[in-house]
Amino acid sequence: MPNAKRRRLFRVTAAAVAAALGGTALAACGSSDGSDARSGPVSLTYWSWTPGMDKVADLWNKGPGKSAQITVTVKKQASGDDLVTKILTAHKAGKAPDLVQAEYQALPTLVSNDALADIAGDVGEARGKFAEGVWQQTTLGTDALYAVPQDIGPMMFYYREDLFKQYGLTVPTTWEQFAQTARALKKKAPDKDLTTFSANDSGLFAGLAQQAGAKWWTTTGDKWKVGIHDAATKKVADFWGGLVKEGAVDDQPMYTPAWNKALDTGKQIAWVSAVWAPGTLTTAAPDTKGKWAMAPLPQWSQSENVTGSWGGSSTAVTTDSQHKAAAAKFAVWLNTDGTALNALAKEGGIYPASTSAQLSGAFTTPPAFFSNQPDFYTKAAAIAKTTAPSAWGPNVNVAYTSFKDAFGAAAKNKSDFSAALDTMHAATVADLKKNGFGVSE
């Protein structure tokens, strides 16, 4: 169990966090009444946004759950800040569900409100099924375990194989080479861009900073220390700011019709993304099927082999659950059992956090969009093992919002990204202090 000092570190009122998230009071259904799993049937409620999660839960209910007399009912929810707010509101009323799907960066906020239970004593040997950098995201640097990893988003480099060959480009293995490649393409085809720096998705920048060794939130005693403008992140900000300022890469936001068209027509010929990119490309650039390839993320030095993470979630047990051991049993099954993980891949399109699942079942053949790269998932599994540790804090939402505002303006004006980073850092520190957290300067 975490010590008292650690508990104080994570404490803050649910009202304060809900206000920070911009949430409003929401009606919530709580855990079902009933006896302990060891003395009779148990019914659990699981809030999740993953498509088809109800079908996966049915496999449990008809199989191991039936034997253990544990039934799980899935209630579909929105993701992101909306779900965090709803969980906190329900918990404030003592009516949170037994289990919740939570993004890794949301865990500190939920733990700070005492909404998640420590299930370290109920997961058996599950730890050995996950990469250390992934498992670390659910412990928050303590001896506790606040969730079981479910899916991950190791970052990779995607590029148009045909256009790289057409323009005589080599796949970059370092960020210096990446910059050189962007400039070389501009000289050969001024109307094309290697990629874009997008300020509308904070997760991309966070993952790049993570790869560089950034630690945005750490702790000193019972205080938080914010390092958003640390040397590692400054390096990333200056690198991309320089490319945008000189016009070597585009600065349009992702996920827009214009961005989709750029990918589909070959105006943008590469994309720094994550393992889930094939699904996005399938809808954004349907005419380019079979023309892309995936490679490891460029490194800051040739001797390094590390990647960042963009996205991913976990399965957590709430402190309101009256059946925590039973809930933890389901969470472990859901994220380590081969049948469950294959179903999650088929129904929800997730890339499993469990290392044993990354080369089996649905992941023995490449995504249909990458049928030209038979070793896609073999490479993906190797890259996933190199995921750098993350360092999330209790107000990620504030940092992300500030990023979009500050970096969005800097990209548009082609101004100093380092100054935008300072703005993001200051806003995050101010919010922590405003909400009563101890902050170490």
Side-chain angles (χ1 to χ4, degrees):
M1 295 292 289
N3 59 36
K5 184 175 288 186
R6 178 68 61 172
R7 274 292 180 194
R8 289 196 300 273
L9 176 68
F10 283 115
R11 285 285 186 182
V12 69
T13 65
V17 175
L21 292 174
T24 56
L26 298 170
C29 56
S31 305
S32 56
D33 293 329
S35 57
D36 187 85
R38 291 169 293 184
S39 57
V42 168
S43 294
L44 305 174
T45 300
Y46 179 28
W47 285 1
S48 170
W49 67 81
T50 297
M53 185 61 79
D54 54 337
K55 296 180 181 179
V56 183
D58 284 344
L59 296 175
W60 163 267
N61 294 334
K62 295 174 182 177
K66 185 176 182 179
S67 301
Q69 295 186 297
I70 302 171
T71 301
V72 176
T73 299
V74 175
K75 297 292 181 69
K76 188 72 177 291
Q77 306 293 329
S79 60
D81 289 350
D82 289 340
L83 180 56
V84 173
T85 301
K86 188 171 182 179
I87 293 168
L88 293 178
T89 303
H91 171 63
K92 189 177 180 181
K95 295 182 178 180
D98 299 277
L99 298 126
V100 294
Q101 183 177 359
E103 293 175 298
Y104 296 114
Q105 66 266 27
L107 292 177
T109 297
L110 295 171
V111 172
S112 73
N113 287 273
D114 201 28
L116 301 186
D118 174 8
I119 56 173
D122 298 310
V123 298
E125 302 300 317
R127 179 171 186 165
K129 297 183 180 293
F130 303 93
E132 187 60 31
V134 173
W135 186 261
Q136 174 267 343
Q137 295 196 77
T138 59
T139 67
L140 306 187
T142 72
D143 293 330
L145 179 71
Y146 295 107
V148 179
Q150 180 167 300
D151 60 299
I152 56 174
M155 295 179 69
M156 302 157 183
F157 178 68
Y158 293 85
Y159 63 100
R160 280 284 299 272
E161 213 170 13
D162 57 332
L163 295 181
F164 262 59
K165 183 177 181 180
Q166 178 180 332
Y167 294 113
L169 304 176
T170 302
V171 178
T173 59
T174 67
W175 287 113
E176 182 181 354
Q177 291 175 7
F178 179 93
Q180 293 170 354
T181 302
R183 295 175 185 123
L185 175 64
K186 272 297 177 187
K187 288 182 179 179
K188 296 179 179 181
D191 62 325
K192 296 187 182 295
D193 295 289
L194 180 63
T195 193
T196 187
F197 177 86
S198 173
N200 70 337
D201 195 317
S202 316
L204 170 57
F205 184 75
L208 291 171
Q210 178 187 349
Q211 184 213 18
K215 297 288 186 292
W216 282 4
W217 286 269
T218 54
T219 58
T220 302
D222 60 355
K223 293 183 178 181
W224 285 99
K225 183 174 178 61
V226 180
I228 288 176
H229 63 355
D230 63 9
T233 312
K234 285 273 190 182
K235 177 171 64 175
V236 175
D238 289 342
F239 175 81
W240 286 96
L243 291 179
V244 169
K245 190 171 185 178
E246 70 176 88
V249 300
D250 198 3
D251 60 2
Q252 71 168 316
M254 299 179 293
Y255 315 125
T256 64
W259 181 72
N260 292 347
K261 184 178 180 180
L263 290 175
D264 204 30
T265 60
K267 185 181 184 303
Q268 179 180 321
I269 72 169
W271 183 27
V272 175
S273 189
V275 70
W276 41 260
T280 301
L281 291 171
T282 299
T283 55
D287 294 338
T288 64
K289 181 179 180 179
K291 297 180 180 179
W292 292 81
M294 178 269 285
L297 208 61
Q299 303 293 310
W300 286 104
S301 71
Q302 287 285 10
S303 61
E304 293 178 327
N305 182 25
V306 63
T307 194
S309 184
W310 184 5
S313 63
S314 61
T315 308
V317 176
T318 72
T319 51
D320 289 343
S321 176
Q322 299 301 305
H323 312 291
K324 296 180 181 63
K329 187 179 183 72
F330 170 75
V332 171
W333 173 86
L334 179 67
N335 299 305
T336 62
D337 181 83
T339 300
L341 291 168
N342 278 331
L344 278 173
K346 178 182 177 182
E347 302 294 343
I350 71 141
Y351 184 72
S354 170
T355 54
S356 62
Q358 292 166 4
L359 290 173
S360 63
F363 304 101
T364 55
T365 56
F369 205 79
F370 281 74
S371 58
N372 55 303
Q373 189 171 10
D375 64 347
F376 182 95
Y377 282 124
T378 302
K379 281 190 173 182
I383 292 170
K385 290 179 182 178
T386 70
T387 302
S390 65
W392 301 116
N395 63 342
V396 172
N397 61 299
V398 172
Y400 275 18
T401 298
S402 180
F403 168 83
K404 292 177 183 178
D405 293 340
F407 278 81
K412 181 179 179 180
N413 300 326
K414 292 182 170 49
S415 58
D416 188 6
F417 275 26
S418 186
L421 188 65
D422 290 339
T423 299
M424 179 182 170
H425 176 92
T428 306
V429 171
D431 177 77
L432 282 176
K433 291 179 177 178
K434 176 183 176 182
N435 284 297
F437 288 98
V439 178
S440 173
E441 297 295 342

